[in-house]
């Protein structure tokens, strides 16, 4: 399902950005016209999105079990 894929991608991004920060790498994705520094808020945001995806998956599982 799309929630599972989104959760796995968010978890992968959290691990990758956390690893880069822990190693002191200076990463700029170049996605925006202004430079955005990588901070610890990025992996935390991705972990939050993974948690939301897990909540959606659990809700769907509980809803289908009730039927």
């Amino acid at each position: 399902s799309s929630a599972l894929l989104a959760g796995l991608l968010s978890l992968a991004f959290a691990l990758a950005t956390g690893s880069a920060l822990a190693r002191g790498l200076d990463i700029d994705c170049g996605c925006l016209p202004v430079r955005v520094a990588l901070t610890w808020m990025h992996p935390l945001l991705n972990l939050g999105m993974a948690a939301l995806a897990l909540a959606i998956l659990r809700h769907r599982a509980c809803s289908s079990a009730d039927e």
Side-chain angles (χ1 to χ4, degrees):
S1 86
S2 58
L4 178 61
L5 180 60
L8 290 174
L9 284 173
S10 294
L11 186 59
F13 282 127
L15 292 172
T17 54
S19 172
L21 284 167
R23 291 184 284 150
L25 299 177
D26 184 25
I27 295 179
D28 177 24
C29 71
C31 305
L32 302 171
V34 294
R35 180 164 162 50
V36 177
L38 186 64
T39 66
W40 283 103
M41 192 54 112
H42 290 89
L44 292 176
L45 176 66
N46 283 307
L47 286 175
M49 288 190 286
L52 287 172
L54 177 62
I56 291 170
L57 290 170
R58 289 185 64 160
H59 177 72
R60 285 183 183 168
C62 289
S63 295
S64 64
D66 290 341
E67 293 177 2

